[in-house]
mmCIF file of all heavy atoms in Angstrom:
data_model
loop_
_atom_site.group_PDB
_atom_site.id
_atom_site.type_symbol
_atom_site.label_atom_id
_atom_site.label_comp_id
_atom_site.label_asym_id
_atom_site.label_seq_id
_atom_site.Cartn_x
_atom_site.Cartn_y
_atom_site.Cartn_z
ATOM 1 N N SER A 20 0.840 -1.194 -0.001
ATOM 2 C CA SER A 20 -0.007 0.014 -0.002
ATOM 3 C C SER A 20 0.866 1.229 -0.004
ATOM 4 O O SER A 20 1.972 1.244 0.561
ATOM 5 C CB SER A 20 -0.910 0.020 1.226
ATOM 6 O OG SER A 20 -1.815 -1.067 1.193
ATOM 7 N N PHE A 21 0.356 2.290 -0.618
ATOM 8 C CA PHE A 21 1.116 3.543 -0.730
ATOM 9 C C PHE A 21 0.222 4.728 -0.468
ATOM 10 O O PHE A 21 -0.955 4.732 -0.893
ATOM 11 C CB PHE A 21 1.703 3.683 -2.153
ATOM 12 C CG PHE A 21 2.595 2.536 -2.545
ATOM 13 C CD1 PHE A 21 2.077 1.440 -3.193
ATOM 14 C CD2 PHE A 21 3.945 2.566 -2.254
ATOM 15 C CE1 PHE A 21 2.903 0.386 -3.549
ATOM 16 C CE2 PHE A 21 4.760 1.526 -2.607
ATOM 17 C CZ PHE A 21 4.246 0.417 -3.263
ATOM 18 N N CYS A 22 0.777 5.742 0.177
ATOM 19 C CA CYS A 22 0.034 6.988 0.403
ATOM 20 C C CYS A 22 -0.021 7.783 -0.894
ATOM 21 O O CYS A 22 0.609 7.404 -1.877
ATOM 22 C CB CYS A 22 0.694 7.816 1.507
ATOM 23 S SG CYS A 22 2.304 8.504 1.062
ATOM 24 N N TRP A 23 -0.719 8.914 -0.877
ATOM 25 C CA TRP A 23 -0.894 9.728 -2.080
ATOM 26 C C TRP A 23 0.455 10.221 -2.632
ATOM 27 O O TRP A 23 0.601 10.376 -3.824
ATOM 28 C CB TRP A 23 -1.800 10.907 -1.790
ATOM 29 C CG TRP A 23 -1.224 11.839 -0.743
ATOM 30 C CD1 TRP A 23 -1.392 11.797 0.605
ATOM 31 C CD2 TRP A 23 -0.372 12.948 -1.022
ATOM 32 N NE1 TRP A 23 -0.683 12.786 1.209
ATOM 33 C CE2 TRP A 23 -0.039 13.530 0.224
ATOM 34 C CE3 TRP A 23 0.183 13.502 -2.151
ATOM 35 C CZ2 TRP A 23 0.789 14.626 0.370
ATOM 36 C CZ3 TRP A 23 1.011 14.622 -2.036
ATOM 37 C CH2 TRP A 23 1.295 15.174 -0.774
ATOM 38 N N GLU A 24 1.432 10.439 -1.759
ATOM 39 C CA GLU A 24 2.704 10.988 -2.200
ATOM 40 C C GLU A 24 3.611 9.930 -2.846
ATOM 41 O O GLU A 24 4.376 10.227 -3.751
ATOM 42 C CB GLU A 24 3.430 11.604 -1.022
ATOM 43 C CG GLU A 24 4.701 12.347 -1.419
ATOM 44 C CD GLU A 24 5.359 13.051 -0.252
ATOM 45 O OE1 GLU A 24 4.846 12.981 0.886
ATOM 46 O OE2 GLU A 24 6.422 13.661 -0.497
ATOM 47 N N HIS A 25 3.497 8.677 -2.426
ATOM 48 C CA HIS A 25 4.390 7.608 -2.886
ATOM 49 C C HIS A 25 3.711 6.566 -3.776
ATOM 50 O O HIS A 25 4.365 5.595 -4.164
ATOM 51 C CB HIS A 25 5.018 6.922 -1.676
ATOM 52 C CG HIS A 25 5.772 7.872 -0.809
ATOM 53 N ND1 HIS A 25 5.388 8.160 0.464
ATOM 54 C CD2 HIS A 25 6.871 8.618 -1.084
ATOM 55 C CE1 HIS A 25 6.238 9.035 0.969
ATOM 56 N NE2 HIS A 25 7.140 9.338 0.079
ATOM 57 N N ARG A 26 2.483 6.792 -4.130
ATOM 58 C CA ARG A 26 1.753 5.804 -4.941
ATOM 59 C C ARG A 26 2.372 5.696 -6.341
ATOM 60 O O ARG A 26 2.982 6.661 -6.853
ATOM 61 C CB ARG A 26 0.290 6.178 -5.066
ATOM 62 C CG ARG A 26 0.052 7.418 -5.894
ATOM 63 C CD ARG A 26 -1.413 7.801 -5.954
ATOM 64 N NE ARG A 26 -1.532 8.993 -6.757
ATOM 65 C CZ ARG A 26 -2.274 10.046 -6.407
ATOM 66 N NH1 ARG A 26 -2.953 10.020 -5.290
ATOM 67 N NH2 ARG A 26 -2.341 11.093 -7.188
ATOM 68 N N PRO A 27 2.232 4.532 -6.988
ATOM 69 C CA PRO A 27 2.745 4.402 -8.358
ATOM 70 C C PRO A 27 1.944 5.260 -9.319
ATOM 71 O O PRO A 27 0.761 5.496 -9.112
ATOM 72 C CB PRO A 27 2.561 2.904 -8.669
ATOM 73 C CG PRO A 27 1.558 2.419 -7.691
ATOM 74 C CD PRO A 27 1.615 3.301 -6.500
ATOM 75 N N GLU A 28 2.626 5.723 -10.349
ATOM 76 C CA GLU A 28 1.980 6.544 -11.379
ATOM 77 C C GLU A 28 2.021 5.777 -12.703
ATOM 78 O O GLU A 28 2.955 4.999 -12.925
ATOM 79 C CB GLU A 28 2.715 7.889 -11.562
ATOM 80 C CG GLU A 28 2.745 8.751 -10.325
ATOM 81 C CD GLU A 28 1.443 9.435 -10.018
ATOM 82 O OE1 GLU A 28 0.659 9.659 -10.969
ATOM 83 O OE2 GLU A 28 1.194 9.755 -8.842
ATOM 84 N N GLN A 29 1.058 5.990 -13.564
ATOM 85 C CA GLN A 29 1.088 5.363 -14.879
ATOM 86 C C GLN A 29 2.250 5.940 -15.679
ATOM 87 O O GLN A 29 2.479 7.157 -15.694
ATOM 88 C CB GLN A 29 -0.234 5.573 -15.609
ATOM 89 C CG GLN A 29 -1.344 4.686 -15.052
ATOM 90 C CD GLN A 29 -2.508 4.628 -15.996
ATOM 91 O OE1 GLN A 29 -3.293 5.546 -16.063
ATOM 92 N NE2 GLN A 29 -2.596 3.536 -16.737
ATOM 93 N N ALA A 30 2.970 5.087 -16.384
ATOM 94 C CA ALA A 30 4.136 5.509 -17.167
ATOM 95 C C ALA A 30 3.743 6.185 -18.471
ATOM 96 O O ALA A 30 4.503 6.940 -19.034
ATOM 97 C CB ALA A 30 5.035 4.311 -17.448
ATOM 98 N N ALA A 31 2.554 5.914 -18.963
ATOM 99 C CA ALA A 31 2.129 6.474 -20.267
ATOM 100 C C ALA A 31 2.180 8.006 -20.231
ATOM 101 O O ALA A 31 1.677 8.614 -19.310
ATOM 102 C CB ALA A 31 0.712 6.007 -20.595
ATOM 103 N N GLU A 32 2.786 8.581 -21.226
ATOM 104 C CA GLU A 32 2.905 10.049 -21.304
ATOM 105 C C GLU A 32 1.727 10.659 -22.046
ATOM 106 O O GLU A 32 1.670 11.858 -22.231
ATOM 107 C CB GLU A 32 4.197 10.421 -22.032
ATOM 108 C CG GLU A 32 5.463 10.073 -21.235
ATOM 109 C CD GLU A 32 5.545 10.758 -19.906
ATOM 110 O OE1 GLU A 32 5.156 11.937 -19.811
ATOM 111 O OE2 GLU A 32 5.984 10.107 -18.925
ATOM 112 N N ALA A 33 0.783 9.860 -22.463
ATOM 113 C CA ALA A 33 -0.364 10.356 -23.207
ATOM 114 C C ALA A 33 -1.232 11.258 -22.337
ATOM 115 O O ALA A 33 -1.276 11.132 -21.134
ATOM 116 C CB ALA A 33 -1.221 9.181 -23.706
ATOM 117 N N ALA A 34 -1.892 12.191 -23.001
ATOM 118 C CA ALA A 34 -2.871 13.061 -22.333
ATOM 119 C C ALA A 34 -4.145 12.975 -23.140
ATOM 120 O O ALA A 34 -4.110 12.837 -24.345
ATOM 121 C CB ALA A 34 -2.348 14.484 -22.280
ATOM 122 N N PRO A 35 -5.290 12.992 -22.469
ATOM 123 C CA PRO A 35 -6.544 12.891 -23.227
ATOM 124 C C PRO A 35 -6.753 14.104 -24.138
ATOM 125 O O PRO A 35 -6.400 15.220 -23.783
ATOM 126 C CB PRO A 35 -7.612 12.820 -22.142
ATOM 127 C CG PRO A 35 -6.989 13.336 -20.910
ATOM 128 C CD PRO A 35 -5.511 13.148 -21.052
ATOM 129 N N GLU A 36 -7.299 13.837 -25.281
ATOM 130 C CA GLU A 36 -7.626 14.939 -26.190
ATOM 131 C C GLU A 36 -8.796 15.722 -25.610
ATOM 132 O O GLU A 36 -9.494 15.239 -24.721
ATOM 133 C CB GLU A 36 -8.003 14.388 -27.571
ATOM 134 C CG GLU A 36 -6.840 13.694 -28.264
ATOM 135 C CD GLU A 36 -7.242 13.063 -29.591
ATOM 136 O OE1 GLU A 36 -8.389 13.297 -30.068
ATOM 137 O OE2 GLU A 36 -6.452 12.286 -30.115
ATOM 138 N N GLU A 37 -9.032 16.896 -26.109
ATOM 139 C CA GLU A 37 -10.115 17.727 -25.624
ATOM 140 C C GLU A 37 -11.450 16.977 -25.788
ATOM 141 O O GLU A 37 -11.682 16.310 -26.781
ATOM 142 C CB GLU A 37 -10.164 19.036 -26.399
ATOM 143 C CG GLU A 37 -11.050 20.087 -25.757
ATOM 144 C CD GLU A 37 -10.956 21.421 -26.484
ATOM 145 O OE1 GLU A 37 -9.923 21.669 -27.117
ATOM 146 O OE2 GLU A 37 -11.899 22.209 -26.351
ATOM 147 N N ASN A 38 -12.295 17.084 -24.786
ATOM 148 C CA ASN A 38 -13.632 16.449 -24.744
ATOM 149 C C ASN A 38 -13.585 14.936 -24.752
ATOM 150 O O ASN A 38 -14.546 14.271 -25.155
ATOM 151 C CB ASN A 38 -14.490 16.941 -25.908
ATOM 152 C CG ASN A 38 -14.689 18.454 -25.878
ATOM 153 O OD1 ASN A 38 -14.860 19.026 -24.797
ATOM 154 N ND2 ASN A 38 -14.647 19.078 -27.042
ATOM 155 N N THR A 39 -12.480 14.333 -24.281
ATOM 156 C CA THR A 39 -12.412 12.866 -24.166
ATOM 157 C C THR A 39 -13.343 12.420 -23.046
ATOM 158 O O THR A 39 -13.381 13.013 -21.982
ATOM 159 C CB THR A 39 -10.973 12.407 -23.877
ATOM 160 O OG1 THR A 39 -10.147 12.826 -24.964
ATOM 161 C CG2 THR A 39 -10.888 10.913 -23.713
ATOM 162 N N THR A 40 -14.064 11.319 -23.322
ATOM 163 C CA THR A 40 -14.981 10.811 -22.309
ATOM 164 C C THR A 40 -14.548 9.418 -21.852
ATOM 165 O O THR A 40 -13.835 8.705 -22.561
ATOM 166 C CB THR A 40 -16.417 10.709 -22.878
ATOM 167 O OG1 THR A 40 -16.411 9.843 -24.022
ATOM 168 C CG2 THR A 40 -16.953 12.069 -23.236
ATOM 169 N N CYS A 41 -14.978 9.054 -20.686
ATOM 170 C CA CYS A 41 -14.752 7.721 -20.135
ATOM 171 C C CYS A 41 -15.490 6.713 -20.997
ATOM 172 O O CYS A 41 -16.672 6.915 -21.318
ATOM 173 C CB CYS A 41 -15.269 7.678 -18.699
ATOM 174 S SG CYS A 41 -15.245 6.046 -17.937
ATOM 175 N N LEU A 42 -14.799 5.659 -21.391
ATOM 176 C CA LEU A 42 -15.430 4.646 -22.251
ATOM 177 C C LEU A 42 -16.511 3.852 -21.564
ATOM 178 O O LEU A 42 -17.275 3.160 -22.216
ATOM 179 C CB LEU A 42 -14.359 3.670 -22.783
ATOM 180 C CG LEU A 42 -13.378 4.237 -23.804
ATOM 181 C CD1 LEU A 42 -12.424 3.151 -24.259
ATOM 182 C CD2 LEU A 42 -14.100 4.838 -24.969
ATOM 183 N N ILE A 43 -16.587 3.974 -20.252
ATOM 184 C CA ILE A 43 -17.574 3.217 -19.503
ATOM 185 C C ILE A 43 -18.805 4.041 -19.153
ATOM 186 O O ILE A 43 -19.929 3.645 -19.469
ATOM 187 C CB ILE A 43 -16.925 2.619 -18.238
ATOM 188 C CG1 ILE A 43 -15.781 1.666 -18.691
ATOM 189 C CG2 ILE A 43 -17.942 1.862 -17.388
ATOM 190 C CD1 ILE A 43 -14.833 1.260 -17.578
ATOM 191 N N CYS A 44 -18.610 5.234 -18.568
ATOM 192 C CA CYS A 44 -19.764 6.044 -18.169
ATOM 193 C C CYS A 44 -20.086 7.163 -19.139
ATOM 194 O O CYS A 44 -21.129 7.818 -19.034
ATOM 195 C CB CYS A 44 -19.537 6.611 -16.777
ATOM 196 S SG CYS A 44 -18.301 7.950 -16.694
ATOM 197 N N LEU A 45 -19.178 7.455 -20.075
ATOM 198 C CA LEU A 45 -19.320 8.491 -21.098
ATOM 199 C C LEU A 45 -19.296 9.915 -20.561
ATOM 200 O O LEU A 45 -19.642 10.846 -21.240
ATOM 201 C CB LEU A 45 -20.569 8.224 -21.951
ATOM 202 C CG LEU A 45 -20.627 6.885 -22.630
ATOM 203 C CD1 LEU A 45 -21.937 6.724 -23.392
ATOM 204 C CD2 LEU A 45 -19.428 6.691 -23.549
ATOM 205 N N ASP A 46 -18.846 10.093 -19.303
ATOM 206 C CA ASP A 46 -18.632 11.425 -18.752
ATOM 207 C C ASP A 46 -17.231 11.899 -19.085
ATOM 208 O O ASP A 46 -16.326 11.054 -19.304
ATOM 209 C CB ASP A 46 -18.827 11.406 -17.225
ATOM 210 C CG ASP A 46 -20.287 11.344 -16.806
ATOM 211 O OD1 ASP A 46 -21.164 11.645 -17.665
ATOM 212 O OD2 ASP A 46 -20.571 10.952 -15.665
ATOM 213 N N PRO A 47 -16.970 13.199 -19.109
ATOM 214 C CA PRO A 47 -15.611 13.700 -19.422
ATOM 215 C C PRO A 47 -14.586 13.186 -18.405
ATOM 216 O O PRO A 47 -14.880 13.031 -17.226
ATOM 217 C CB PRO A 47 -15.749 15.216 -19.310
ATOM 218 C CG PRO A 47 -17.215 15.498 -19.428
ATOM 219 C CD PRO A 47 -17.927 14.290 -18.912
ATOM 220 N N VAL A 48 -13.367 12.946 -18.883
ATOM 221 C CA VAL A 48 -12.297 12.451 -17.996
ATOM 222 C C VAL A 48 -11.315 13.544 -17.573
ATOM 223 O O VAL A 48 -10.430 13.301 -16.774
ATOM 224 C CB VAL A 48 -11.479 11.292 -18.633
ATOM 225 C CG1 VAL A 48 -12.327 10.068 -18.812
ATOM 226 C CG2 VAL A 48 -10.845 11.730 -19.947
ATOM 227 N N GLY A 49 -11.467 14.733 -18.084
ATOM 228 C CA GLY A 49 -10.539 15.811 -17.751
ATOM 229 C C GLY A 49 -9.459 15.918 -18.804
ATOM 230 O O GLY A 49 -9.524 15.275 -19.837
ATOM 231 N N ASP A 50 -8.432 16.704 -18.494
ATOM 232 C CA ASP A 50 -7.423 16.982 -19.511
ATOM 233 C C ASP A 50 -6.077 16.337 -19.248
ATOM 234 O O ASP A 50 -5.113 16.602 -19.910
ATOM 235 C CB ASP A 50 -7.232 18.492 -19.656
ATOM 236 C CG ASP A 50 -6.816 19.172 -18.368
ATOM 237 O OD1 ASP A 50 -6.727 18.485 -17.323
ATOM 238 O OD2 ASP A 50 -6.526 20.371 -18.421
ATOM 239 N N ARG A 51 -5.994 15.450 -18.220
ATOM 240 C CA ARG A 51 -4.712 14.798 -17.919
ATOM 241 C C ARG A 51 -4.946 13.510 -17.113
ATOM 242 O O ARG A 51 -6.011 13.304 -16.566
ATOM 243 C CB ARG A 51 -3.824 15.749 -17.133
ATOM 244 C CG ARG A 51 -4.395 16.146 -15.797
ATOM 245 C CD ARG A 51 -3.501 17.136 -15.069
ATOM 246 N NE ARG A 51 -4.174 17.660 -13.903
ATOM 247 C CZ ARG A 51 -4.188 17.072 -12.716
ATOM 248 N NH1 ARG A 51 -3.577 15.928 -12.540
ATOM 249 N NH2 ARG A 51 -4.812 17.606 -11.700
ATOM 250 N N LYS A 52 -3.861 12.735 -17.044
ATOM 251 C CA LYS A 52 -3.836 11.569 -16.172
ATOM 252 C C LYS A 52 -3.864 12.048 -14.735
ATOM 253 O O LYS A 52 -3.257 13.067 -14.424
ATOM 254 C CB LYS A 52 -2.529 10.815 -16.358
ATOM 255 C CG LYS A 52 -2.534 9.629 -17.165
ATOM 256 C CD LYS A 52 -1.185 8.926 -17.167
ATOM 257 C CE LYS A 52 -0.015 9.767 -16.749
ATOM 258 N NZ LYS A 52 1.282 9.223 -17.005
ATOM 259 N N SER A 53 -4.545 11.325 -13.890
ATOM 260 C CA SER A 53 -4.579 11.689 -12.480
ATOM 261 C C SER A 53 -4.933 10.422 -11.680
ATOM 262 O O SER A 53 -5.107 9.356 -12.266
ATOM 263 C CB SER A 53 -5.629 12.773 -12.215
ATOM 264 O OG SER A 53 -6.928 12.282 -12.430
ATOM 265 N N TYR A 54 -5.062 10.599 -10.382
ATOM 266 C CA TYR A 54 -5.469 9.440 -9.568
ATOM 267 C C TYR A 54 -6.822 8.889 -10.022
ATOM 268 O O TYR A 54 -7.014 7.701 -10.113
ATOM 269 C CB TYR A 54 -5.531 9.851 -8.085
ATOM 270 C CG TYR A 54 -6.024 8.755 -7.189
ATOM 271 C CD1 TYR A 54 -5.205 7.676 -6.865
ATOM 272 C CD2 TYR A 54 -7.303 8.775 -6.663
ATOM 273 C CE1 TYR A 54 -5.651 6.648 -6.060
ATOM 274 C CE2 TYR A 54 -7.761 7.751 -5.856
ATOM 275 C CZ TYR A 54 -6.940 6.700 -5.545
ATOM 276 O OH TYR A 54 -7.371 5.694 -4.741
ATOM 277 N N GLY A 55 -7.734 9.787 -10.359
ATOM 278 C CA GLY A 55 -9.078 9.394 -10.743
ATOM 279 C C GLY A 55 -9.261 9.130 -12.208
ATOM 280 O O GLY A 55 -10.309 8.654 -12.626
ATOM 281 N N THR A 56 -8.265 9.416 -13.036
ATOM 282 C CA THR A 56 -8.351 9.235 -14.467
ATOM 283 C C THR A 56 -7.212 8.361 -14.940
ATOM 284 O O THR A 56 -6.060 8.620 -14.620
ATOM 285 C CB THR A 56 -8.259 10.598 -15.203
ATOM 286 O OG1 THR A 56 -9.318 11.417 -14.739
ATOM 287 C CG2 THR A 56 -8.369 10.431 -16.692
ATOM 288 N N MET A 57 -7.540 7.282 -15.662
ATOM 289 C CA MET A 57 -6.524 6.319 -16.087
ATOM 290 C C MET A 57 -6.598 6.060 -17.588
ATOM 291 O O MET A 57 -7.627 6.349 -18.217
ATOM 292 C CB MET A 57 -6.721 5.026 -15.317
ATOM 293 C CG MET A 57 -6.679 5.226 -13.810
ATOM 294 S SD MET A 57 -7.122 3.781 -12.887
ATOM 295 C CE MET A 57 -5.607 2.862 -12.980
#
């Protein structure tokens, strides 16, 4: 287990394009990778 500061990060350098939606719920995912966006 890891706290927020030491948790693993995804290595992919990709960033979502504008208006990208979640493939599951179809809501917007934001403009970058984050803890809540994968």
Side-chain angles (χ1 to χ4, degrees):
S20 296
F21 302 91
C22 69
W23 64 270
E24 187 176 0
H25 301 114
R26 69 181 179 227
E28 300 284 334
Q29 285 195 282
E32 293 299 322
E36 295 176 10
E37 193 174 337
N38 300 321
T39 299
T40 60
C41 172
L42 290 182
I43 299 166
C44 72
L45 303 178
D46 284 341
V48 293
D50 60 355
R51 62 182 171 85
K52 259 185 340 193
S53 68
Y54 176 74
T56 301
M57 303 172 79

